[in-house]
Amino acid sequence: MRICRLQTPHTEAAFEVMPCDPDELYVNDFDIFWDRAFMPQPDAIFGLDLPFLGGEPQPAPQAATKVTSFSQFSSSLPSLDLVEEVGDAHQRDRSEDTGNQCQTSQDNEHTDSAPWSISSATFEKLCEEIRGYASVLPSECQIPTNNDLSRGLETYLKCTQKYIPFIHVATFLAEERDAELSLVMAALGLLYRFEHKRAYKLYFMARAIWTEKARRAHLQMASDVVCDRDHMTQSKPVKLRKIQTLILLVIFASWGNKRVRPDALSMAGELASK
């Protein structure tokens, strides 16, 4: 133990000091951990909205929305109001489409615009034209039924037309076409359906009618030349239909039985002269 004296201007006092270790001095000295930079300033303390005793509690301030760089790349889900509006719009469009389809179906019922459909009047007219060439038709070939003819035309326009695009489907009407063209189209359609017997009957009927028309046209041309009359030229639509008929006859003969393939060669020569 050592005695330390403290001298003041008026008195002199002595007190005992406990023995101390120099290394322990730095541990017990708390000032070395004190940093004035972390010391709160008075204005920061008094600027806080702290409740005072006896006063009314102040509402807690709302937390500010923290904006980060991630929010620039994130997308929020659509609001429920927007989803409901879009759903209502789709429902209205679907209702309008359904109404339009129903109206179109009703219109089609009243005006049957299917190109392969043959009305009773059109079928009777077609039968009359075929009967006009009864003398040149094969005896085994009878006039087809409306069902067979319509079924063959439908198959041709829906399926065979993709491989033989020589008929304009949008403007095709059986009542405005020659009998031989409708017959050969139906023959190709039935051949596509593997109804070979019916297909060959329609083919030979179309071939006979086309040959007879060509023979009559040749006789008329010979008469006009001998009598020195002006030969009546065919219009472009009529000539086009004859070429279409001849092309389809050549195709059927090429696809059919080998015994009818010579017909394809002979008709191909006639086609080249058109």
Side-chain angles (χ1 to χ4, degrees):
M1 179 183 296
R2 60 176 179 170
I3 300 175
C4 298
R5 295 181 181 275
L6 178 63
Q7 296 181 358
T8 62
H10 303 283
T11 60
E12 180 178 353
F15 57 91
E16 295 182 355
V17 180
M18 296 297 295
C20 59
D21 190 357
D23 298 333
E24 188 178 2
L25 177 63
Y26 297 98
V27 177
N28 295 330
D29 190 4
F30 295 98
D31 292 339
I32 64 176
F33 300 103
W34 186 262
D35 190 354
R36 295 184 61 85
F38 293 95
M39 182 176 180
Q41 300 299 325
D43 56 349
I45 296 176
F46 292 102
L48 298 176
D49 296 334
L50 298 177
F52 295 95
L53 295 177
E56 296 180 357
Q58 300 295 329
Q62 296 181 355
T65 304
K66 186 177 181 181
V67 179
T68 60
S69 61
F70 180 76
S71 61
Q72 300 176 2
F73 303 97
S74 61
S75 60
S76 59
L77 294 174
S79 63
L80 295 179
D81 296 338
L82 179 60
V83 173
E84 292 178 356
E85 292 177 0
V86 173
D88 295 339
H90 289 174
Q91 185 67 24
R92 289 193 300 270
D93 294 342
R94 191 179 298 109
S95 300
E96 292 178 358
D97 294 341
T98 303
N100 293 335
Q101 292 177 0
C102 294
Q103 183 65 27
T104 304
S105 300
Q106 294 176 0
D107 295 340
N108 290 337
E109 290 178 358
H110 295 290
T111 58
D112 194 356
S113 59
W116 55 82
S117 63
I118 301 176
S119 62
S120 299
T122 302
F123 183 71
E124 289 296 331
K125 180 181 178 181
L126 185 63
C127 291
E128 287 295 330
E129 184 177 358
I130 295 175
R131 292 190 189 100
Y133 299 92
S135 59
V136 298
L137 295 178
S139 58
E140 294 80 7
C141 298
Q142 294 82 22
I143 297 177
T145 62
N146 194 346
N147 186 21
D148 291 342
L149 196 60
S150 299
R151 190 171 68 255
L153 289 175
E154 179 181 4
T155 306
Y156 176 87
L157 294 175
K158 285 185 176 181
C159 304
T160 317
Q161 170 69 10
K162 298 178 181 179
Y163 309 102
I164 315 175
F166 294 106
I167 303 298
H168 191 239
V169 180
T171 58
F172 176 80
L173 288 175
E175 60 185 6
E176 297 178 358
R177 298 298 184 268
D178 297 331
E180 63 272 19
L181 179 57
S182 299
L183 289 173
V184 71
M185 288 174 61
L188 285 168
L190 294 177
L191 186 67
Y192 191 89
R193 297 171 63 95
F194 296 99
E195 299 182 22
H196 294 165
K197 188 175 181 179
R198 291 188 177 93
Y200 280 114
K201 287 182 179 181
L202 297 183
Y203 164 75
F204 284 117
M205 292 177 66
R207 176 76 166 91
I209 294 174
W210 188 88
T211 302
E212 180 62 19
K213 284 187 175 182
R215 188 187 68 84
R216 293 179 183 180
H218 182 75
L219 293 177
Q220 182 65 37
M221 183 268 297
S223 177
D224 294 339
V225 171
V226 171
C227 297
D228 195 14
R229 291 193 300 260
D230 293 335
H231 180 66
M232 297 180 60
T233 58
Q234 297 177 348
S235 62
K236 290 184 178 180
V238 173
K239 189 174 182 179
L240 176 61
R241 293 169 189 173
K242 291 184 177 298
I243 293 175
Q244 290 174 337
T245 304
L246 190 56
I247 290 175
L248 296 182
L249 287 172
V250 171
I251 292 174
F252 187 98
S254 301
W255 287 1
N257 193 290
K258 62 181 181 180
R259 290 178 290 182
V260 298
R261 288 175 189 171
D263 289 349
L265 296 177
S266 62
M267 288 185 293
E270 297 177 10
L271 181 62
S273 63
K274 294 297 182 181

